[in-house]
């Protein structure tokens, strides 16, 4: 298990072009818990790691709109529809804050979108599973947003300022999302036997993919050691996964549902739940693009991008017109 102390991880040698005194000053600032800001000097590998993680995080928010968007027209009441619409819109907003944070690192929105569309950039595995019933909307809010908050709360103290500040707002909204999902599940679990069975079936299908969301185990996570050292990640994949299991199991019990893991057991000595073996072959297959609805998700994003071209062109033409009007007005005194 990795620790959050920089001293416990070996230093990555500076790239040849990077002056050792700059690297040392950067590392001292990180160790001192100062935020690194866009105009500050930073090692190229730190910048690249951030672009990778933040852009993938942004893509996850935007692709994450699809499984839930699929149920907006079929929500069971006007109230549920309005809430779901607002939630999905929030996710789009999270994508925008995150793309903007990544742009401060010198990458463009177009480059990031291109990487998503061509499969060079990843997005969370969780969104490659289908939403089959209304109960899945409850499970996504409760489990997927619940897992997302667990991961994102520590990211509010990530070392890169724009990412940390984006996370503050995202976390506030995610906690509302988690509660709306839990409320849907709680209502179904207390409903007719058919409704309760729907809620249990959704938990059965979403539990394992949700705990995979935290990423590979620490001893098989190539990026964790360096990211923890740079304080991009403040906790490791396994530490966050354990916290999520510990918080979520009692919630399932409280509403009379069963977590689909026969090996799940409270371990008095550790003060944590022990859980069964995760199917990492399934995880890596989904990471590679073999998830049940992976192709459909990427196609939906590409279609939206192509169909939205006229909007982007119109916005650019409008901005150019405004700029030339302002120039003329300035020239005329
Ligand atoms: N899915 O060395 P590791 C949401 C990749 S959206 C896909 O541990 P790292 C929501 C990983 O990228 C919330 N790929 O990597 C939206 C790496 O490959 P690359 C999404 C994964 O970066 C709408 C390789 O596996 N949250 O909440 O240190 C509706 C090795 O992994 C996954 C974020 O994005 C995965 N699950 O740690 C509802 C949080 N896991 O990139 C809800 C921000 C691992 O080297 N991201 N991989 O080719 C992070 O905290 C970290 O990037 C991760 C992975 C913990 C995900």
């Amino acid at each position: 298990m990795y620790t959050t102390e920089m001293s416990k991880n070996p230093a990555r040698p500076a790239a040849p072009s990077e002056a050792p005194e700059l690297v040392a000053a950067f590392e001292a600032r990180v160790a001192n818990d100062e935020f690194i800001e866009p105009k500050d000097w930073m090692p190229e590998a730190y910048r690249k790691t951030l672009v990778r993680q933040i852009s993938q995080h942004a893509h996850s928010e935007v692709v994450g709109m699809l499984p839930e968007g699929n149920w907006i027209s079929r929500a069971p009441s006007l109230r549920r529809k309005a809430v779901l619409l607002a939630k999905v819109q929030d996710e789009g907003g999270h994508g925008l804050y995150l793309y903007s944070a990544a742009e401060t690192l010198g990458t463009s929105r177009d480059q990031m979108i291109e990487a998503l569309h061509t499969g060079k950039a990843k997005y969370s595995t969780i969104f490659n599973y289908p939403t089959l019933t209304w109960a899945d909307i409850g499970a996504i809010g409760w489990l997927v947003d619940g897992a997302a908050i667990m991961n994102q709360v520590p990211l509010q103290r990530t070392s890169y300022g724009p990412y940390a500040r984006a996370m503050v707002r995202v976390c506030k909204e995610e906690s509302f999302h988690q509660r709306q999902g839990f409320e849907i599940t709680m209502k179904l679990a207390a409903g007719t036997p058919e409704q309760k069975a729907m809620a249990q079936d959704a938990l059965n299908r979403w539990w394992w993919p949700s705990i995979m969301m935290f990423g590979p185990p620490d001893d098989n996570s190539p990026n964790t050691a360096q990211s923890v050292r740079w304080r991009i990640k403040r906790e490791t994949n396994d530490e966050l996964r354990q916290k999520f299991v510990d918080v979520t199991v009692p919630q399932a019990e409280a509403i009379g549902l069963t977590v689909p893991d026969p090996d799940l057991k409270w371990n008095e000595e550790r003060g944590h739940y022990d859980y069964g073996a995760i199917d990492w072959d399934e995880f890596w297959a989904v990471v590679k693009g073999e998830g049940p609805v992976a192709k459909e998700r990427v196609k939906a994003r590409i279609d939206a991008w192509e169909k939205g071209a006229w909007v982007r062109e119109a916005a650019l033409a409008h901005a150019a017109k405004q700029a030339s009007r302002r120039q003329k007005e300035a020239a005329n005194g």
Side-chain angles (χ1 to χ4, degrees), residues 38-327:
K39 288 188 177 154
D40 296 341
W41 187 88
M42 62 186 81
E44 183 54 17
Y46 174 83
R47 194 188 68 79
K48 277 199 177 136
T49 298
L50 282 170
V51 169
R52 176 183 64 79
Q53 178 166 326
I54 303 173
S55 66
Q56 292 185 168
H57 194 162
H59 298 326
S60 303
E61 299 284 355
V62 173
V63 176
M65 297 167 79
L66 298 167
E68 290 177 291
N70 181 32
W71 277 88
I72 291 172
S73 60
R74 290 177 288 164
S77 70
L78 186 57
R79 173 175 170 260
R80 295 287 186 207
K81 191 194 286 276
V83 172
L84 184 58
L85 204 53
K87 181 197 188 282
V88 172
Q89 190 172 310
D90 283 353
E91 308 297 0
H94 298 173
L96 292 183
Y97 315 149
L98 286 160
Y99 283 127
S100 300
E103 280 176 311
T104 65
L105 291 155
T107 182
S108 73
R109 184 85 59 98
D110 283 355
Q111 280 170 320
M112 291 185 269
I113 304 284
E114 156 97 8
L116 173 69
H117 292 175
T118 53
K120 278 193 218 115
K122 299 185 168 75
Y123 57 87
S124 183
T125 41
I126 195 77
F127 302 117
N128 288 323
Y129 293 87
T131 38
L132 304 180
T133 72
W134 172 252
D136 290 20
I137 301 307
I140 290 187
W142 173 30
L143 303 174
V144 176
D145 289 84
I149 302 172
M150 205 50 95
N151 168 284
Q152 287 167 177
V153 164
L155 288 175
Q156 294 176 104
R157 293 180 297 110
T158 190
S159 56
Y160 187 58
Y163 192 22
R165 290 188 287 275
M167 283 299 108
V168 172
R169 181 147 175 199
V170 168
C171 282
K172 286 196 181 124
E173 292 174 354
E174 294 293 18
S175 68
F176 155 75
H177 297 169
Q178 191 274 349
R179 274 175 248 169
Q180 69 85 36
F182 187 65
E183 198 239 340
I184 292 175
T185 310
M186 190 170 71
K187 278 266 152 64
L188 289 172
T192 62
E194 289 80 6
Q195 286 171 325
K196 185 168 182 185
M198 259 171 72
Q200 181 62 53
D201 171 59
L203 174 58
N204 292 349
R205 284 180 291 106
W206 288 91
W207 174 255
W208 292 103
S210 296
I211 66 171
M212 289 176 193
M213 263 179 88
F214 294 94
D218 294 349
D219 57 11
N220 197 21
S221 160
N223 300 299
T224 292
Q226 185 60 50
S227 287
V228 167
R229 209 181 115 69
W230 276 328
R231 302 199 175 178
I232 293 174
K233 283 167 93 162
R234 309 293 306 221
E235 291 181 60
T236 71
N237 301 356
D238 285 332
E239 286 165 357
L240 293 170
R241 185 170 11 252
Q242 182 72 62
K243 276 191 180 177
F244 175 76
V245 172
D246 290 349
V247 165
T248 313
V249 171
Q251 293 173 347
E253 282 168 1
I255 57 174
L257 297 183
T258 308
V259 172
D261 177 358
D263 297 322
L264 192 70
K265 204 160 109 268
W266 178 253
N267 182 324
E268 198 59 55
E269 211 173 297
R270 290 200 313 121
H272 293 292
Y273 281 95
D274 290 336
Y275 50 89
I278 296 175
D279 183 350
W280 292 113
D281 290 342
E282 173 179 325
F283 171 79
W284 290 115
V286 180
V287 169
K288 277 197 297 178
E290 293 163 20
V293 289
K295 289 190 180 56
E296 195 178 316
R297 296 287 186 245
V298 176
K299 184 179 177 307
R301 288 309 317 153
I302 295 174
D303 283 353
W305 180 254
E306 286 171 357
K307 287 189 191 132
W310 70 270
V311 180
R312 294 189 297 280
E313 281 159 22
L316 285 173
H318 179 68
K321 206 157 138 191
Q322 299 283 91
S324 91
R325 190 173 297 162
R326 271 196 303 275
Q327 247 174 6

